[in-house]
Amino acid sequence: MGILWFIFIFVSLIGHGDAHGPESCNHAGGLCRVGNCVSGEYLASYCFEPIILCCRCLLPTTTKS
């Protein structure tokens, strides 16, 4: 019976709110992180709301020619 509750909670976290998943985050140039974004990044969306965040860099990366 306990495993059924675990599965229910996991499925509800995946389908909750504005969670787009890691593929969408990576495609948009972000990284999925647990807890908080690191310095120099901002919260763009969620990979799995509310635990795993999709963080993107504040400044765009530039390449030298």
Side-chain angles (χ1 to χ4, degrees):
M1 186 68 169
I3 191 75
L4 292 176
W5 281 109
F6 176 75
I7 292 171
F8 174 74
I9 291 171
F10 181 75
V11 169
S12 69
L13 283 175
I14 290 174
H16 186 306
D18 191 26
H20 296 291
E23 295 84 18
S24 176
C25 180
N26 292 338
H27 182 70
L31 293 172
C32 294
R33 298 197 186 276
V34 176
N36 296 313
C37 296
V38 297
S39 179
E41 293 180 341
Y42 68 96
L43 174 62
S45 63
Y46 292 94
C47 293
F48 297 103
E49 190 175 341
I51 299 168
I52 303 178
L53 314 173
C54 177
C55 301
R56 292 193 193 137
C57 291
L58 288 172
L59 300 174
T61 57
T62 58
T63 57
K64 293 183 179 181
S65 302

Coordinates of all heavy atoms in Angstrom, one line a residue:
M1 N 0.8 -1.2 0.0 CA 0.0 0.0 0.0 C 0.9 1.3 0.0 O 0.5 2.2 -0.6 CB -0.9 0.0 1.2 CG -1.9 1.1 1.2 SD -3.1 0.9 -0.1 CE -4.3 2.0 0.3
G2 N 2.0 1.2 0.7 CA 2.9 2.4 0.8 C 3.5 2.7 -0.6 O 3.7 3.9 -0.9
I3 N 3.8 1.7 -1.4 CA 4.3 2.0 -2.7 C 3.3 2.7 -3.6 O 3.7 3.5 -4.5 CB 4.9 0.6 -3.4 CG1 5.7 0.9 -4.6 CG2 3.7 -0.3 -3.7 CD1 7.0 1.4 -4.3
L4 N 2.0 2.4 -3.4 CA 1.0 3.1 -4.2 C 1.0 4.6 -3.9 O 0.8 5.4 -4.8 CB -0.3 2.4 -4.0 CG -0.5 1.0 -4.5 CD1 -1.9 0.5 -4.1 CD2 -0.3 1.0 -6.0
W5 N 1.2 4.9 -2.7 CA 1.2 6.4 -2.3 C 2.4 7.0 -2.9 O 2.4 8.1 -3.4 CB 1.2 6.5 -0.8 CG -0.1 6.4 -0.2 CD1 -0.6 5.4 0.6 CD2 -1.2 7.3 -0.3 NE1 -1.9 5.6 0.9 CE2 -2.3 6.8 0.3 CE3 -1.4 8.5 -1.0 CZ2 -3.5 7.4 0.4 CZ3 -2.6 9.1 -0.9 CH2 -3.7 8.6 -0.2
F6 N 3.6 6.3 -2.9 CA 4.8 6.9 -3.5 C 4.6 7.1 -5.0 O 5.0 8.2 -5.5 CB 6.0 5.9 -3.3 CG 7.2 6.3 -3.9 CD1 8.0 7.4 -3.4 CD2 7.7 5.7 -5.1 CE1 9.1 7.8 -4.0 CE2 8.8 6.2 -5.7 CZ 9.6 7.2 -5.2
I7 N 4.0 6.2 -5.7 CA 3.8 6.3 -7.1 C 2.8 7.5 -7.4 O 3.0 8.3 -8.3 CB 3.2 5.0 -7.7 CG1 4.3 3.9 -7.7 CG2 2.7 5.2 -9.1 CD1 3.9 2.5 -8.0
F8 N 1.7 7.6 -6.6 CA 0.8 8.7 -6.7 C 1.4 10.0 -6.5 O 1.2 10.9 -7.3 CB -0.4 8.5 -5.7 CG -1.3 9.6 -5.7 CD1 -2.2 9.8 -6.8 CD2 -1.3 10.6 -4.7 CE1 -3.1 10.9 -6.8 CE2 -2.2 11.6 -4.7 CZ -3.1 11.8 -5.7
I9 N 2.3 10.2 -5.5 CA 3.0 11.4 -5.3 C 3.9 11.8 -6.4 O 4.0 12.9 -6.9 CB 3.7 11.4 -3.9 CG1 2.7 11.4 -2.8 CG2 4.6 12.6 -3.8 CD1 3.3 11.1 -1.4
F10 N 4.7 10.8 -6.9 CA 5.6 11.0 -8.0 C 4.9 11.4 -9.3 O 5.3 12.4 -9.9 CB 6.4 9.7 -8.3 CG 7.4 9.8 -9.4 CD1 8.6 10.5 -9.1 CD2 7.2 9.3 -10.6 CE1 9.5 10.7 -10.2 CE2 8.1 9.4 -11.6 CZ 9.2 10.1 -11.4
V11 N 3.8 10.8 -9.6 CA 3.0 11.1 -10.8 C 2.4 12.5 -10.6 O 2.4 13.3 -11.6 CB 1.9 10.1 -11.1 CG1 0.9 10.6 -12.1 CG2 2.5 8.8 -11.5
S12 N 1.9 12.9 -9.4 CA 1.3 14.2 -9.2 C 2.4 15.3 -9.3 O 2.1 16.4 -9.8 CB 0.6 14.3 -7.9 OG 1.5 14.2 -6.8
L13 N 3.6 15.0 -8.9 CA 4.7 16.0 -9.1 C 5.1 16.2 -10.5 O 5.4 17.4 -10.9 CB 6.0 15.6 -8.3 CG 5.9 15.7 -6.8 CD1 7.2 15.1 -6.2 CD2 5.8 17.2 -6.4
I14 N 5.1 15.2 -11.3 CA 5.4 15.3 -12.7 C 4.4 16.1 -13.5 O 4.7 17.0 -14.3 CB 5.6 13.9 -13.4 CG1 6.8 13.2 -12.9 CG2 5.6 14.0 -14.9 CD1 7.0 11.8 -13.3
G15 N 3.1 15.9 -13.2 CA 2.1 16.6 -13.9 C 1.6 17.9 -13.3 O 0.7 18.5 -13.8
H16 N 2.3 18.4 -12.3 CA 1.9 19.6 -11.6 C 2.3 20.9 -12.2 O 3.5 21.0 -12.7 CB 2.4 19.5 -10.2 CG 2.0 20.6 -9.3 ND1 2.1 21.9 -9.6 CD2 1.4 20.6 -8.1 CE1 1.6 22.6 -8.6 NE2 1.2 21.8 -7.7
G17 N 1.4 21.9 -12.3 CA 1.8 23.2 -12.7 C 2.5 23.4 -14.0 O 2.1 22.9 -15.0
D18 N 3.5 24.2 -14.0 CA 4.2 24.6 -15.2 C 5.5 23.8 -15.4 O 6.5 24.2 -15.9 CB 4.6 26.1 -15.1 CG 5.1 26.7 -16.4 OD1 4.7 26.2 -17.4 OD2 5.8 27.7 -16.3
A19 N 5.4 22.5 -15.0 CA 6.6 21.6 -15.2 C 6.6 21.1 -16.7 O 5.7 20.5 -17.1 CB 6.5 20.4 -14.3
H20 N 7.7 21.5 -17.3 CA 7.8 21.1 -18.7 C 8.8 19.9 -18.9 O 8.9 19.4 -20.0 CB 8.3 22.3 -19.6 CG 7.4 23.4 -19.6 ND1 6.1 23.4 -20.2 CD2 7.4 24.6 -19.0 CE1 5.5 24.5 -20.1 NE2 6.2 25.3 -19.3
G21 N 9.6 19.6 -18.0 CA 10.5 18.5 -18.1 C 11.9 18.9 -18.5 O 12.1 20.0 -19.0
P22 N 12.8 18.0 -18.3 CA 14.2 18.3 -18.6 C 14.5 18.6 -20.1 O 15.4 19.4 -20.4 CB 15.0 17.2 -18.1 CG 14.0 16.1 -17.8 CD 12.7 16.7 -17.7
E23 N 13.8 17.9 -21.0 CA 14.0 18.1 -22.4 C 13.8 19.5 -22.8 O 14.5 20.2 -23.6 CB 13.2 17.1 -23.3 CG 13.5 15.7 -23.1 CD 12.8 15.1 -21.9 OE1 11.8 15.7 -21.4 OE2 13.3 14.0 -21.4
S24 N 12.6 20.1 -22.4 CA 12.3 21.5 -22.7 C 13.3 22.4 -22.1 O 13.6 23.4 -22.7 CB 10.9 21.8 -22.2 OG 10.5 23.1 -22.4
C25 N 13.7 22.2 -20.9 CA 14.7 23.1 -20.2 C 16.0 23.1 -21.0 O 16.6 24.1 -21.3 CB 14.9 22.6 -18.8 SG 16.1 23.6 -17.8
N26 N 16.5 21.9 -21.3 CA 17.8 21.8 -22.0 C 17.7 22.4 -23.4 O 18.7 23.0 -23.8 CB 18.2 20.3 -22.1 CG 18.6 19.8 -20.7 OD1 18.9 20.5 -19.8 ND2 18.5 18.4 -20.6
H27 N 16.6 22.2 -24.1 CA 16.4 22.7 -25.4 C 16.4 24.3 -25.4 O 16.9 24.9 -26.3 CB 15.1 22.2 -26.0 CG 14.9 22.7 -27.4 ND1 15.7 22.2 -28.5 CD2 14.0 23.6 -27.9 CE1 15.3 22.8 -29.6 NE2 14.3 23.7 -29.3
A28 N 15.9 24.8 -24.3 CA 15.9 26.3 -24.2 C 17.2 26.9 -23.6 O 17.2 28.1 -23.3 CB 14.7 26.7 -23.3
G29 N 18.2 26.0 -23.4 CA 19.5 26.5 -22.9 C 19.6 26.6 -21.4 O 20.5 27.3 -20.9
G30 N 18.8 25.8 -20.7 CA 18.8 25.8 -19.3 C 19.4 24.5 -18.7 O 19.6 23.6 -19.5
L31 N 19.5 24.4 -17.4 CA 20.0 23.2 -16.7 C 19.0 23.0 -15.6 O 18.6 23.9 -14.9 CB 21.4 23.4 -16.2 CG 22.5 23.5 -17.2 CD1 23.8 23.9 -16.4 CD2 22.7 22.2 -17.9
C32 N 18.7 21.7 -15.4 CA 17.8 21.3 -14.3 C 18.7 21.2 -13.0 O 19.7 20.6 -13.0 CB 17.1 20.0 -14.6 SG 16.0 20.1 -15.9
R33 N 18.2 21.9 -11.9 CA 19.0 21.8 -10.7 C 18.0 21.6 -9.5 O 16.9 22.0 -9.6 CB 19.7 23.2 -10.4 CG 20.7 23.5 -11.5 CD 21.6 24.6 -11.0 NE 22.6 25.0 -12.0 CZ 23.7 24.4 -12.3 NH1 24.1 23.4 -11.6 NH2 24.5 24.9 -13.2
V34 N 18.5 20.9 -8.5 CA 17.7 20.6 -7.3 C 17.9 21.7 -6.3 O 19.1 22.0 -6.0 CB 18.1 19.2 -6.7 CG1 17.3 19.0 -5.4 CG2 17.8 18.1 -7.7
G35 N 16.9 22.3 -5.8 CA 17.0 23.3 -4.7 C 17.0 24.7 -5.2 O 16.0 25.3 -5.2
N36 N 18.2 25.2 -5.5 CA 18.4 26.6 -5.9 C 19.3 26.7 -7.2 O 20.1 25.8 -7.4 CB 19.1 27.3 -4.8 CG 18.3 27.4 -3.6 OD1 17.1 27.7 -3.6 ND2 18.9 27.1 -2.4
C37 N 19.1 27.7 -7.9 CA 20.0 28.1 -9.0 C 21.3 28.6 -8.4 O 21.3 29.2 -7.4 CB 19.4 29.1 -9.9 SG 17.9 28.6 -10.7
V38 N 22.4 28.3 -9.1 CA 23.7 28.8 -8.7 C 23.9 30.2 -9.0 O 23.1 30.8 -9.8 CB 24.9 27.9 -9.3 CG1 24.8 26.5 -8.8 CG2 24.9 28.0 -10.8
S39 N 24.9 30.9 -8.5 CA 25.2 32.3 -8.7 C 25.4 32.5 -10.2 O 26.1 31.7 -10.9 CB 26.5 32.7 -8.0 OG 26.8 34.0 -8.2
G40 N 24.8 33.5 -10.8 CA 24.9 33.8 -12.2 C 23.8 33.2 -13.0 O 23.8 33.3 -14.2
E41 N 22.8 32.5 -12.3 CA 21.7 31.9 -13.0 C 20.4 32.5 -12.4 O 20.4 33.0 -11.3 CB 21.7 30.4 -12.9 CG 22.9 29.7 -13.6 CD 22.9 28.2 -13.4 OE1 22.2 27.7 -12.5 OE2 23.5 27.6 -14.2
Y42 N 19.3 32.3 -13.2 CA 18.0 32.7 -12.7 C 17.0 31.6 -13.0 O 17.2 30.7 -13.8 CB 17.5 34.0 -13.4 CG 17.2 33.9 -14.9 CD1 15.9 33.6 -15.3 CD2 18.2 34.0 -15.8 CE1 15.7 33.5 -16.7 CE2 18.0 33.8 -17.2 CZ 16.7 33.6 -17.6 OH 16.4 33.5 -18.9
L43 N 15.9 31.6 -12.2 CA 14.9 30.5 -12.4 C 14.1 30.9 -13.6 O 13.4 31.9 -13.7 CB 14.0 30.5 -11.2 CG 12.8 29.6 -11.2 CD1 13.2 28.2 -11.4 CD2 11.9 29.8 -10.0
A44 N 14.1 30.0 -14.6 CA 13.4 30.2 -15.9 C 12.1 29.5 -15.9 O 11.1 30.1 -16.3 CB 14.2 29.8 -17.1
S45 N 12.0 28.3 -15.4 CA 10.8 27.5 -15.2 C 11.1 26.3 -14.3 O 12.1 26.4 -13.5 CB 10.4 27.1 -16.6 OG 11.3 26.2 -17.2
Y46 N 10.3 25.3 -14.4 CA 10.6 24.1 -13.6 C 10.7 22.9 -14.5 O 10.0 22.7 -15.5 CB 9.4 23.9 -12.7 CG 9.2 24.9 -11.6 CD1 8.4 26.0 -11.8 CD2 9.9 24.8 -10.4 CE1 8.3 27.0 -10.8 CE2 9.8 25.8 -9.4 CZ 9.0 26.8 -9.6 OH 8.9 27.8 -8.6
C47 N 11.6 22.0 -14.1 CA 11.7 20.7 -14.7 C 10.7 19.8 -14.1 O 9.9 19.1 -14.8 CB 13.1 20.1 -14.6 SG 14.4 21.0 -15.4
F48 N 10.6 19.7 -12.8 CA 9.6 19.0 -12.0 C 9.3 19.9 -10.8 O 10.0 20.0 -9.9 CB 10.1 17.7 -11.6 CG 10.4 16.7 -12.7 CD1 11.7 16.5 -13.0 CD2 9.4 16.1 -13.4 CE1 12.0 15.6 -14.1 CE2 9.7 15.3 -14.4 CZ 11.0 15.0 -14.8
E49 N 8.1 20.6 -10.9 CA 7.7 21.6 -9.9 C 7.4 20.8 -8.6 O 6.7 19.8 -8.7 CB 6.5 22.4 -10.4 CG 6.2 23.5 -9.5 CD 5.0 24.3 -10.2 OE1 4.8 24.3 -11.3 OE2 4.4 25.1 -9.4
P50 N 7.7 21.3 -7.5 CA 8.4 22.5 -7.1 C 9.8 22.2 -6.7 O 10.5 23.1 -6.2 CB 7.6 23.0 -5.9 CG 7.2 21.7 -5.2 CD 7.0 20.7 -6.3
I51 N 10.3 21.0 -7.0 CA 11.6 20.6 -6.4 C 12.8 20.8 -7.4 O 13.8 21.4 -7.0 CB 11.6 19.1 -6.1 CG1 10.5 18.8 -5.0 CG2 12.9 18.6 -5.6 CD1 10.2 17.4 -4.8
I52 N 12.6 20.5 -8.6 CA 13.7 20.6 -9.6 C 13.5 21.8 -10.5 O 12.5 21.9 -11.2 CB 13.9 19.3 -10.4 CG1 14.1 18.1 -9.5 CG2 15.0 19.4 -11.4 CD1 14.2 16.8 -10.1
L53 N 14.4 22.8 -10.4 CA 14.3 24.0 -11.2 C 15.0 24.0 -12.5 O 16.0 23.3 -12.7 CB 14.9 25.1 -10.3 CG 14.5 25.2 -8.8 CD1 15.4 26.2 -8.1 CD2 13.1 25.4 -8.7
C54 N 14.5 24.8 -13.4 CA 15.2 25.0 -14.7 C 15.9 26.3 -14.6 O 15.2 27.4 -14.6 CB 14.2 25.0 -15.9 SG 15.0 25.3 -17.5
C55 N 17.2 26.3 -14.5 CA 18.0 27.6 -14.4 C 18.7 27.9 -15.7 O 19.2 27.0 -16.4 CB 19.0 27.4 -13.3 SG 18.3 26.9 -11.7
R56 N 18.8 29.2 -16.0 CA 19.5 29.7 -17.1 C 20.5 30.8 -16.7 O 20.3 31.5 -15.7 CB 18.5 30.3 -18.2 CG 17.6 29.3 -18.8 CD 16.9 29.8 -20.0 NE 15.9 28.9 -20.3 CZ 14.6 29.3 -20.7 NH1 14.3 30.6 -20.7 NH2 13.7 28.4 -21.0
C57 N 21.5 31.0 -17.5 CA 22.6 32.0 -17.2 C 22.0 33.4 -17.4 O 21.2 33.6 -18.3 CB 23.7 31.8 -18.2 SG 24.7 30.3 -17.9
L58 N 22.4 34.3 -16.5 CA 22.0 35.7 -16.6 C 22.5 36.3 -17.9 O 21.8 37.1 -18.5 CB 22.4 36.4 -15.4 CG 21.7 36.1 -14.1 CD1 22.4 36.8 -12.9 CD2 20.3 36.5 -14.2
L59 N 23.8 36.1 -18.2 CA 24.4 36.7 -19.3 C 24.6 35.7 -20.4 O 25.0 34.6 -20.2 CB 25.8 37.3 -18.9 CG 25.8 38.4 -17.8 CD1 27.2 38.7 -17.4 CD2 25.0 39.6 -18.3
P60 N 24.3 36.1 -21.7 CA 24.5 35.2 -22.8 C 26.0 34.9 -23.0 O 26.8 35.8 -22.8 CB 23.9 35.9 -24.0 CG 23.9 37.3 -23.6 CD 23.8 37.4 -22.1
T61 N 26.4 33.7 -23.3 CA 27.8 33.4 -23.6 C 28.2 33.9 -24.9 O 27.4 33.9 -25.9 CB 28.0 31.9 -23.5 OG1 27.1 31.3 -24.5 CG2 27.7 31.3 -22.1
T62 N 29.4 34.4 -25.0 CA 29.9 34.9 -26.3 C 31.1 34.1 -26.7 O 31.8 33.6 -25.8 CB 30.3 36.4 -26.1 OG1 31.3 36.5 -25.1 CG2 29.1 37.3 -25.8
T63 N 31.4 34.0 -27.9 CA 32.5 33.3 -28.4 C 33.4 34.3 -29.2 O 32.9 35.2 -29.8 CB 32.1 32.2 -29.4 OG1 31.3 32.7 -30.5 CG2 31.2 31.1 -28.7
K64 N 34.7 34.1 -29.0 CA 35.7 34.9 -29.7 C 36.0 34.3 -31.0 O 36.1 33.1 -31.2 CB 36.9 35.0 -28.8 CG 36.7 35.8 -27.6 CD 38.0 35.9 -26.8 CE 37.8 36.7 -25.5 NZ 39.0 36.9 -24.8
S65 N 36.2 35.2 -32.0 CA 36.5 34.7 -33.4 C 38.0 34.5 -33.5 O 38.8 35.2 -33.1 CB 36.1 35.8 -34.4 OG 34.8 36.0 -34.3

